[in-house]
């Protein structure tokens, strides 16, 4: 009998919240294969998009992630360039927008994963898939 798959492992590796075995996405996060959300889990046949428009709520999670990332980028820029003034404005702007652009695939993937694993009361983990 296999050990119970942890929730943290399933979140980090983007696994199905129902069985914690099947992949939620096709393709890689960064690379030439564009990531898409699967319609159903290949391991347990759980519908990933529970209802039409379900992942619109992931936009709010992505927004919160983006705000935290922008604050972190601003703080790092403050430590390197000093306070926001006329001569450092473009440094702040470039760093913040570059961070948003580079982290957008990460935000796409993990906003959906957080929505599925943490904020979705309809999908429960079934440990019998670990057998």
């Amino acid at each position: 009998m296999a050990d119970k798959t942890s929730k943290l492992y399933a979140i980090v590796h983007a696994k199905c919240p129902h069985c914690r075995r099947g992949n939620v996405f096709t393709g890689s996060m960064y690379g030439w294969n564009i990531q898409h959300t699967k319609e159903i889990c290949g391991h347990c046949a759980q519908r990933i998009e529970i209802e039409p428009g379900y992942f619109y709520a992931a936009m709010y999670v992505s927004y919160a992630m983006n705000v935290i990332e922008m604050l972190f980028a601003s703080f790092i820029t403050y430590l390197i360039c000093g306070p926001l003034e006329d001569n450092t404005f473009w440094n702040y702007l470039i760093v913040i927008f570059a961070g948003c652009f580079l982290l957008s695939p990460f935000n796409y993937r993990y906003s959906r994963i957080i929505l599925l694993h943490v904020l979705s009361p309809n999908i429960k983990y079934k440990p019998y898939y670990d057998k």
Side-chain angles (χ1 to χ4, degrees):
M1 183 170 151
D3 292 330
K4 180 179 171 184
T5 307
S6 72
K7 187 170 196 165
L8 180 62
Y9 176 86
I11 290 172
V12 169
H13 294 283
K15 299 295 183 183
C16 171
H18 186 66
C19 65
R20 296 183 185 170
R21 297 286 180 179
N23 293 326
V24 174
F25 294 96
T26 61
S28 61
M29 187 175 353
Y30 292 99
W32 297 110
N33 295 336
I34 297 173
Q35 62 180 336
H36 294 285
T37 308
K38 291 183 177 181
E39 291 184 24
I40 60 169
C41 175
H43 190 264
C44 68
Q46 168 71 39
R47 281 190 53 83
I48 302 297
E49 187 171 3
I50 300 169
E51 57 192 28
Y54 176 72
F55 285 120
Y56 283 127
M59 289 188 305
Y60 298 109
V61 177
S62 178
Y63 176 76
M65 292 169 64
N66 214 354
V67 166
I68 292 168
E69 292 160 359
M70 290 169 69
L71 289 172
F72 183 72
S74 299
F75 180 69
I76 297 299
T77 308
Y78 173 78
L79 292 177
I80 294 171
C81 297
L84 178 61
E85 296 173 349
D86 289 340
N87 58 345
T88 60
F89 172 75
W90 287 105
N91 295 338
Y92 276 85
L93 197 66
I94 290 169
V95 168
I96 290 171
F97 281 129
C100 289
F101 178 74
L102 292 174
L103 291 172
S104 63
F106 175 84
N107 290 343
Y108 172 81
R109 179 173 286 216
Y110 285 102
S111 64
R112 289 175 178 232
I113 292 297
I114 289 171
L115 181 68
L116 285 169
H117 280 274
V118 179
L119 302 174
S120 180
N122 296 335
I123 301 177
K124 301 289 184 201
Y125 170 60
K126 303 291 187 212
Y128 60 82
Y129 285 110
D130 286 334
K131 296 178 182 176

